[in-house]
């Protein structure tokens, strides 16, 4: 029992020493913040890319809505004529309506689906900007010796951060803005 107590005491001492060393080591690390929203608002290429995405999105949405409206009109006409139609005519009209609805759904998926045209367009426009920002942040972090750079705009966990550790303007300067 006495030997067990010595082992537990030794483990406790090692744990306390390890914890103290970890605390000293972590306090020596340098941190910085950026505000990605602020950086992006100050990059004209980002605003142009957003405008381009907005325009193409509106155009594609209008195409989808036109097909949906056409399908709705076909359905309303069908409802008005249904009493005068033979069974074959009813089936043909129903099939045509369903086909039009499927076209609208397929077009919507093509443009706005998870791997759709809008996603591809956004990736092609935004990736170069994001890569440029990442490289600028990395350069500034390496130059100033930061081990960690957090985005204040996307991290809701940050309640307060000193403006002294915000390097957003330095990143913009590195980007030439």
């Amino acid at each position: 029992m006495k030997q067990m107590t010595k082992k537990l005491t030794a483990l406790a001492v090692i744990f306390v020493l390890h914890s103290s060393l970890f605390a000293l080591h972590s306090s020596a690390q340098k941190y910085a913040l950026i505000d990605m929203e602020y950086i992006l608002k100050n990059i004209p290429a980002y605003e142009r890319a957003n405008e381009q995405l907005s325009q193409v999105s509106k155009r594609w949405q209008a195409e989808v809505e036109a097909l949906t409206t056409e399908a709705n009109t076909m359905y309303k006409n069908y409802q008005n004529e249904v009493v005068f139609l033979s069974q074959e005519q009813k089936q043909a009209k129903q099939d045509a309506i369903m086909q039009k609805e499927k076209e609208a759904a397929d077009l919507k998926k093509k443009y706005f689906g998870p791997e759709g045209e809008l996603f591809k367009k956004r990736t092609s426009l935004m990736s170069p900007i994001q890569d440029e920002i990442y490289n600028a942040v990395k350069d500034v972090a390496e130059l100033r010796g930061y081990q960690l750079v957090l985005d204040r705009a996307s991290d809701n966990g940050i309640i307060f951060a000193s403006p002294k550790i915000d390097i957003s303007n330095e990143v913009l300067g590195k980007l030439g803005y």
Side-chain angles (χ1 to χ4, degrees):
M1 188 68 145
K2 195 173 185 183
Q3 191 172 10
M4 177 89 104
T5 306
K6 284 183 181 181
K7 284 182 182 179
L8 287 175
T9 304
L11 282 175
V13 169
I14 291 171
F15 178 75
V16 169
L17 286 174
H18 179 68
S19 297
S20 299
L21 289 173
F22 179 78
L24 285 173
H25 177 69
S26 65
S27 67
Q29 292 180 352
K30 291 177 69 177
Y31 305 96
L33 292 176
I34 60 169
D35 186 336
M36 190 61 82
E37 287 178 12
Y38 171 76
I39 291 170
L40 290 172
K41 285 179 186 174
N42 285 285
I43 297 177
Y46 177 75
E47 293 299 323
R48 286 191 301 272
N50 262 341
E51 182 58 35
Q52 226 178 327
L53 287 170
S54 177
Q55 289 174 0
V56 77
S57 177
K58 286 177 186 173
R59 188 181 63 212
W60 289 342
Q61 186 63 39
E63 286 180 40
V64 171
E65 286 174 3
L67 283 176
T68 302
T69 301
E70 194 175 335
N72 289 338
T73 302
M74 290 170 69
Y75 181 71
K76 286 177 186 173
N77 290 341
Y78 168 78
Q79 285 181 319
N80 292 335
E81 302 169 345
V82 72
V83 293
F84 305 111
L85 299 174
S86 68
Q87 193 59 36
E88 294 89 26
Q89 290 171 321
K90 286 179 186 177
Q91 189 61 50
K93 294 240 183 214
Q94 289 171 359
D95 290 347
I97 293 166
M98 288 174 52
Q99 179 60 35
K100 192 57 72 176
E101 289 172 341
K102 184 179 180 328
E103 283 178 43
D106 289 348
L107 190 62
K108 184 175 184 177
K109 182 179 177 183
K110 175 186 172 191
Y111 288 150
F112 302 107
E115 297 294 320
E117 296 299 317
L118 188 63
F119 173 80
K120 291 174 187 171
K121 185 89 170 153
R122 179 177 288 121
T123 301
S124 72
L125 291 172
M126 297 299 182
S127 286
I129 296 167
Q130 291 170 334
D131 291 345
E132 190 177 7
I133 293 169
Y134 171 79
N135 288 330
V137 169
K138 184 178 169 202
D139 290 348
V140 170
E142 287 175 355
L143 179 70
R144 306 266 306 270
Y146 296 122
Q147 285 83 25
L148 178 68
V149 178
L150 299 171
D151 179 10
R152 125 186 351 238
S154 68
D155 189 356
N156 295 333
I158 298 175
I159 296 170
F160 170 79
S162 171
K164 293 176 185 176
I165 64 170
D166 190 323
I167 60 169
S168 300
N169 286 326
E170 195 171 341
V171 170
L172 282 169
K174 185 82 174 164
L175 292 167
Y177 300 104

